[in-house]
Amino acid sequence: MQYTRQMQKLLVVNKPIGVTPYQVIQTLREQHPPYQKEKISYVGRLDPLAHGVLLLTVGAANNTREAYLSLPKEYECEALFGLATDTYDLLGLVQNLSIKKVPDLLEEKIATTIKSYVGKQQQSYPPFSSKAVHGKPLFWWAKQDRLSEITIPTREISVTDFTLLSLNACSRNELEKKVSVAISVQGDFRQEAIKKRWETFFTTNTQSSFVTARLHVSCSSGTYIRSFINRLGESLGCYAVATEIMRTSVGAYSVDSAINLTLE
């Protein structure tokens, strides 16, 4: 695809794991000189550990950016059962050093539980998110251990589909690799403390395999998938953490037609 100033001003980018949307824009400017002087904004955030469709508005398209913010989203994600972190994903402090036993008839219980997540509802923002409260992002309150001083805000979301795709197993080696990738994210995300806690977890826990589930979610803009995975673990009584979140589409824009960036 040739990048010129006359090209379409809405870009559909396949955001890789481990970078922020801002870093995606920086990479786009570096790799494609025509964009170096253009105003570029991302439409909707994706967590550093999430990957998939990220919309970018370029130049005059920023004037219509709001129209894209409300587009529905689709995700495929993976939940690992038996443990929890304070961020609800792998880039967080492990909350329990011993694995909790997953319930019997897990497939049936997951399928039944996620049915109750379909429809309109209020969802609390994750403690580690950028939503501002009293002028500071929620992650600031969480890092300061001051969440008890505030009320975590909620927002109305809508889920149109929540489906269990498969139950699988994740080996200890695979989980260690996923954690290593998570900790290598650029930026200040408490990596040293998180790394030490995971090292303690793997030293304390000798389990060789972990139960995972592959899930599909269709939802409104602003929905936090890692919050749903945390909630699912709580409902099942065994905890759960997001090990992968892939945004497969935003409205009619699919990851299959997205631009792939080469990251060094």
Side-chain angles (χ1 to χ4, degrees):
M1 184 176 185
Q2 185 177 3
Y3 294 86
T4 69
R5 294 182 68 85
Q6 286 72 45
M7 67 173 293
Q8 65 176 5
K9 297 300 182 181
L10 178 72
L11 299 182
V12 184
V13 175
N14 184 6
K15 186 188 95 65
I17 295 173
V19 295
T20 66
Y22 177 71
Q23 290 166 336
V24 169
I25 293 175
Q26 287 181 307
T27 300
L28 182 69
R29 293 189 193 279
E30 292 169 0
Q31 295 182 3
H32 305 289
Y35 290 127
Q36 289 180 358
K37 296 183 179 180
E38 295 281 1
K39 178 182 178 182
I40 305 176
S41 304
Y42 56 82
V43 184
R45 295 190 60 85
L46 263 181
D47 290 336
L49 294 190
H51 63 117
V53 176
L54 179 68
L55 300 185
L56 302 179
T57 48
V58 183
N62 283 283
N63 297 327
T64 58
R65 180 174 174 273
E66 293 296 322
Y68 301 108
L69 281 172
S70 60
L71 291 175
K73 314 288 196 304
E74 289 197 28
Y75 297 87
E76 280 193 20
C77 56
E78 182 182 74
L80 185 147
F81 299 98
L83 62 90
T85 70
D86 60 355
T87 59
Y88 310 157
D89 61 18
L90 297 180
L91 191 56
L93 294 172
V94 180
Q95 301 297 287
N96 55 303
L97 294 180
S98 20
I99 289 288
K100 291 201 71 173
K101 183 180 181 301
V102 298
D104 295 330
L105 303 175
L106 182 63
E107 183 172 358
E108 292 86 345
K109 289 182 179 179
I110 292 175
T112 299
T113 301
I114 59 180
K115 284 181 182 178
S116 66
Y117 297 172
V118 175
K120 290 185 178 181
Q121 59 205 273
Q122 292 292 321
Q123 185 183 54
S124 297
Y125 285 86
F128 282 86
S129 62
S130 58
K131 176 65 175 177
V133 177
H134 302 317
K136 296 187 181 297
L138 273 173
F139 65 75
W140 181 89
W141 295 96
K143 285 182 177 180
Q144 299 291 322
D145 196 23
R146 294 175 60 180
L147 287 173
S148 61
E149 300 177 22
I150 63 171
T151 299
I152 295 180
T154 64
R155 67 173 296 166
E156 184 178 83
I157 62 167
S158 178
V159 177
T160 54
D161 180 70
F162 206 144
T163 304
L164 173 64
L165 301 177
S166 62
L167 278 183
N168 306 288
C170 176
S171 71
R172 180 189 183 89
N173 185 50
E174 288 173 327
L175 181 57
E176 288 177 335
K177 288 181 179 179
K178 287 176 181 285
V179 170
S180 178
V181 170
I183 295 172
S184 67
V185 166
Q186 300 176 40
D188 180 14
F189 293 95
R190 306 176 298 162
Q191 283 95 328
E192 283 304 313
I194 291 168
K195 181 180 179 181
K196 289 179 180 178
R197 187 72 66 88
W198 277 109
E199 287 174 347
T200 302
F201 168 81
F202 285 117
T203 300
T204 304
N205 193 288
T206 58
Q207 188 163 325
S208 60
S209 181
F210 306 87
V211 179
T212 64
R214 197 91 188 157
L215 303 156
H216 171 267
V217 186
S218 298
C219 55
S220 60
S221 180
T223 302
Y224 280 89
I225 303 303
R226 55 191 163 103
S227 291
F228 269 134
I229 290 177
N230 177 71
R231 176 181 166 190
L232 177 60
E234 291 180 343
S235 298
L236 296 172
C238 63
Y239 302 138
V241 62
T243 55
E244 182 188 3
I245 297 175
M246 178 183 182
R247 184 189 284 168
T248 55
S249 68
V250 176
Y253 305 102
S254 168
V255 70
D256 295 332
S257 58
I259 298 170
N260 292 304
L261 298 178
T262 302
L263 300 179
E264 296 181 357

